[in-house]
Amino acid sequence: MLALRSARMFRDWPPDVLETLASEAQFRQPARRSTVTRPGTRLDSVVIVVRGAVEVGAFTRTGKKFILHTGGPGYVYGLLAVMNQPRLPQYLMVLEDTELLMVPGQAVRAALEQRPTLWQAVAVELAHRYRKTMAGITDQLTAPLPQRLALSVYALVRAGSVEWRDGGAQTLRVSQADLAATLGVTRQSVNRELQALAQAGLLSLDYGRITVNDTPALRRMIEDLDSLSDGARSVARGAPID
């Protein structure tokens, strides 16, 4: 039941409802970098990240990959399953050592049918996702690449995608190609900006890894940008990543 309460949508649901859902849910521990669901495949479960981190993305018709967002503990994926639309256009991939809780969509729908007032929690969650999506689009269109890159790296740290900590330094297992897919730019552009951040001492670069040497400075870089959305600024100030 604690795993369910880690997700904002279920946090205030009645204990008896959560106990019923917990009795039908199953824990999964997929291998690192494995794909849990592919675009168009059937998923009739609500997926909650108990620990670790996941990546959600999509592909263009030409096969180009776009990373939509990442999520850490408490992140919920598959809300469309609640609405009986089990074929999702995105993929869900595990980034690291991760534990997921798979809650059957049918069980969630049954709870909502029995307690219609719980739909308010679903509506609040969907509104939060919409606001976050619009903030992301705004940042994509208006913020300079250096700050958007800093935000993406910082969001990975906040989401718990840290492979190793050494004092204040935090190492992320993330490729420059993945960052480029997140930002919708070329890998060469990401490399150029990462090199600038490395020269400033904020980051250290290695193959498939980025070490954040100065997290407070990275956060200030995000907060100081006038054109960044309130949603992005809230990430820098410590609001939940989900």
Side-chain angles (χ1 to χ4, degrees), residues 14 31 45 92 97 103 114 122 230 236:
S45 296
L92 176 68
D97 184 20
V103 186
Q114 294 168 11
V122 178
D230 291 339

Side-chain angles (χ1 to χ4, degrees), residues 2-25:
L2 288 176
L4 283 165
R5 286 199 184 279
S6 70
R8 178 182 47 242
M9 191 180 88
F10 296 106
R11 196 163 294 156
D12 297 323
W13 284 32
D16 61 314
V17 175
L18 293 180
E19 287 178 6
T20 300
L21 293 179
S23 68
E24 300 189 38

Side-chain angles (χ1 to χ4, degrees), residues 19-68:
E19 287 178 6
T20 300
L21 293 179
S23 68
E24 300 189 38
Q26 293 184 338
F27 287 96
R28 285 185 58 185
Q29 294 183 343
R32 177 180 292 187
R33 306 298 296 181
S34 64
T35 300
V36 179
T37 63
R38 300 182 183 280
T41 57
R42 185 178 180 84
L43 174 69
D44 194 12
S45 296
V46 175
V47 183
I48 300 173
V49 179
V50 180
R51 60 178 174 83
V54 297
E55 170 186 297
V56 178
F59 296 92
T60 67
R61 291 183 179 180
T62 59
K64 185 178 180 180
K65 173 181 172 181
F66 282 93
I67 299 175
L68 302 174

Side-chain angles (χ1 to χ4, degrees), residues 130-170:
Y130 176 77
R131 182 179 66 84
K132 184 177 179 182
T133 298
M134 294 306 296
I137 293 173
T138 300
D139 296 335
Q140 188 79 5
L141 294 174
T142 62
L145 179 57
Q147 280 76 17
R148 289 195 289 128
L149 177 59
L151 177 63
S152 294
V153 172
Y154 185 73
L156 287 171
V157 173
R158 292 287 321 288
S161 303
V162 177
E163 183 180 51
W164 182 259
R165 288 180 173 86
D166 184 8
Q170 304 183 83

Side-chain angles (χ1 to χ4, degrees), residues 55-58 65-70 91 174 177-183:
E55 170 186 297
V56 178
K65 173 181 172 181
F66 282 93
I67 299 175
L68 302 174
H69 47 86
T70 58
Y91 68 83
V174 60
D178 282 346
L179 286 173
T182 301
L183 298 168

Side-chain angles (χ1 to χ4, degrees), residues 84-100:
N84 206 19
Q85 299 179 38
R87 297 192 184 277
L88 304 181
Q90 304 90 14
Y91 68 83
L92 176 68
M93 185 175 73
V94 168
L95 293 177
E96 55 185 60
D97 184 20
T98 298
E99 185 174 32
L100 306 175

